[in-house]
Amino acid sequence: MADTVAAPADDDEERVPDGFAFEDRPRPLEGIRAYGLIMAMWVRSTMAYRASFVMTLLGNLAVTAFDFVTVLLMFSHVDALGGYSLPEIALLYGLSATAFGVCDLLLGSMDRVGGRVRDGTLDTLLVRPVPVLAQVAADRFALRRLGRITQGLLVLGYALVTLDIAWTPLKTLMLPMTVLSGAAIFGAIFIAGAAFQFVAQDASEVQNSFTYGGTTLLQYPPTIFAKDLVRGVTFVVPLAFASWLPALYVLGREYPVDLPQWVAFLPPLVAAGACGLAGLAWRAGLRSYRSTGN
């Protein structure tokens, strides 16, 4: 079953709402516009109960803050962790948490694909004149996830104020590049994990081990992990490019796998390649889908 239906006949065109008339638009623009419309719908729904939104936002901020509280508790007993001081780990933490927070805000609903496949509700997305990926990604868009981004930015701000870094234009540009590239890399993993759920329908926890688990891994220095694990998140699942490599360049530290310094500038290219592969995986997964009525 294809992910869109054929264009309506001339006598039915006037019954398609203007907001969803995508026939004359390039397909990527269809998805972006559809995502924006669905997201706006959920935002309006959320803001109808503003007190509830504020409470859930603060609750999300408090829950995610406990992650960094754990780091603070560690440093109440030690002066360094894997040779890294608290401000240095705060930089790793802030970059990873902010990048993942952006991705989680935009694509946090991708882990629901397996549930939709099992209960047959994915069929309702296939018959709409809107790309399925945009519908799944924007489904139940949750503004409360801004709490994770806020917490990551606060920790990042603490690190930048505390650290004594010899700033250069390249190091300054490295920070926003790391957040954007990291968000794209996490997004590629979200999409690839969702594609895997077309085959293994109850695999959301496998996906979460690479997304939520990956950001937790990146919040600590690579020196505390086995080198085989560091190689795995560098050359197999490129999580290291979402935080470690550019962050260590900013800190002036060597990477434990003996990579040249210029690899710290590769996150945008790695992110583009990862997104391309994730897109191919999504198309393959969607084409393999068989409706519950088939």
Side-chain angles (χ1 to χ4, degrees):
M1 181 180 294
D3 62 350
T4 58
V5 297
D10 292 341
D11 57 351
D12 290 334
E13 285 183 355
E14 62 181 16
R15 284 180 282 179
V16 178
D18 292 340
F20 289 91
F22 299 107
E23 290 80 358
D24 297 329
R25 302 176 187 274
R27 188 161 183 76
L29 293 182
E30 290 181 15
I32 293 172
R33 187 157 185 259
Y35 181 94
L37 291 170
I38 299 171
M39 178 188 71
M41 176 191 70
W42 283 106
V43 170
R44 288 195 299 270
S45 175
T46 299
M47 298 310 293
Y49 304 94
R50 298 191 179 186
S52 175
F53 163 68
V54 171
M55 288 188 289
T56 55
L57 176 65
L58 293 176
N60 185 269
L61 175 61
V63 169
T64 55
F66 280 112
D67 290 341
F68 193 66
V69 170
T70 302
V71 177
L72 294 176
L73 290 175
M74 290 182 186
F75 275 90
S76 67
H77 299 284
V78 299
D79 295 326
L81 183 63
Y84 285 71
S85 65
L86 176 59
E88 289 175 318
I89 290 182
L91 180 68
L92 299 177
Y93 183 103
L95 289 173
S96 173
T98 304
F100 180 77
V102 172
C103 174
D104 191 41
L105 175 68
L106 299 177
L107 298 174
S109 298
M110 294 300 297
D111 59 358
R112 293 193 177 96
V113 170
R116 285 189 173 277
V117 171
R118 290 193 302 274
D119 60 24
T121 56
L122 188 68
D123 291 3
T124 62
L125 308 185
L126 290 168
V127 297
R128 296 172 182 168
V130 179
V132 176
L133 180 58
Q135 296 182 71
V136 173
D139 182 41
R140 298 188 180 278
F141 182 87
L143 273 181
R144 68 177 183 276
R145 291 172 178 151
L146 286 171
R148 184 184 294 273
I149 300 175
T150 302
Q151 187 254 353
L153 289 174
L154 289 174
V155 176
L156 182 59
Y158 159 76
L160 296 178
V161 170
T162 309
L163 285 169
D164 184 16
I165 298 175
W167 290 104
T168 64
L170 284 178
K171 288 184 178 182
T172 303
L173 293 174
M174 187 70 73
L175 297 180
M177 181 271 289
T178 301
V179 172
L180 295 177
S181 299
I185 291 171
F186 278 118
I189 297 173
F190 264 109
I191 294 172
F196 179 65
Q197 292 185 51
F198 284 109
V199 180
Q201 299 172 10
D202 196 16
S204 60
E205 292 305 319
V206 175
Q207 175 182 336
N208 291 341
S209 67
F210 288 97
T211 52
Y212 292 90
T215 187
T216 301
L217 177 78
L218 296 177
Q219 290 167 2
Y220 296 91
T223 51
I224 69 173
F225 300 106
K227 285 195 173 182
D228 287 341
L229 177 60
V230 176
R231 292 188 185 98
V233 297
T234 303
F235 302 111
V236 181
V237 182
L239 288 170
F241 292 89
S243 173
W244 277 349
L245 285 167
L248 295 187
Y249 172 82
V250 172
L251 293 173
R253 287 180 171 266
E254 294 184 0
Y255 196 59
V257 188
D258 298 325
L259 291 175
Q261 193 177 60
W262 54 263
V263 298
F265 299 93
L266 294 182
L269 295 178
V270 173
C275 289
L277 293 175
L280 293 175
W282 173 261
R283 288 180 62 86
L286 193 59
R287 287 176 175 177
S288 69
Y289 172 69
R290 293 295 179 266
S291 169
T292 54
N294 288 354

